[in-house]
C-alpha cells in the first residue's frame, strides 16, 4: 500500500540524511517508526481499557508474583 505523507522540511532533511548514512530507504524508516508508534498507542489504549475494567470491578488485579511466575522470572 502506498501512503503519501507531507513532512516538515527539517524532519524530511533528517530522514533523508539518515537514509543516506545507513543505506536504507526513507520508507523503511517511516514504516518502522509508524509500526512502533502504533504498538505504543495500542498498548496505551489497552491499558486504559484495563484500568476502566479494574475501576468498575469487572477485572481483578494480578499480583506481581504471578506475573513474574507466568513470565518465567525469579
Amino acid at each position: 500500500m502506498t501512503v503519501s505523507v507531507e513532512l516538515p522540511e527539517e524532519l524530511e532533511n533528517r530522514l533523508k540524511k539518515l537514509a543516506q548514512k545507513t543505506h536504507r530507504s526513507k520508507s523503511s524508516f517511516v514504516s518502522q517508526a509508524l509500526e512502533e508508534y502504533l504498538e505504543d498507542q495500542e498498548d496505551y489504549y489497552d491499558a486504559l481499557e484495563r484500568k476502566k475494567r479494574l475501576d468498575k470491578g469487572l477485572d481483578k488485579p494480578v499480583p506481581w508474583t504471578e506475573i513474574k511466575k507466568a513470565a518465567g522470572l525469579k
Side-chain angles (χ1 to χ4, degrees):
M1 177 169 121
T2 301
V3 176
S4 182
V5 178
E6 193 169 321
L7 300 174
E9 187 176 344
E10 182 182 334
L11 187 57
E12 184 179 359
N13 289 338
R14 290 172 58 197
L15 177 60
K16 184 178 178 181
K17 285 179 186 178
L18 186 59
Q20 290 171 342
K21 186 176 188 175
T22 60
H23 305 287
R24 288 178 55 190
S25 68
K26 293 184 288 184
S27 291
S28 70
F29 282 106
V30 172
S31 292
Q32 181 182 355
L34 182 57
E35 184 175 344
E36 290 174 12
Y37 176 80
L38 291 175
E39 287 173 0
D40 288 347
Q41 291 298 300
E42 290 164 347
D43 288 347
Y44 173 77
Y45 285 104
D46 287 346
L48 280 181
E49 185 62 31
R50 173 79 168 136
K51 183 179 180 330
K52 287 178 189 175
R53 292 184 59 80
L54 287 167
D55 290 346
K56 291 180 181 179
L58 299 173
D59 286 342
K60 294 181 182 179
V62 179
W64 176 240
T65 54
E66 287 185 32
I67 294 172
K68 288 193 311 185
K69 183 178 179 182
L73 303 173
K74 292 183 178 185

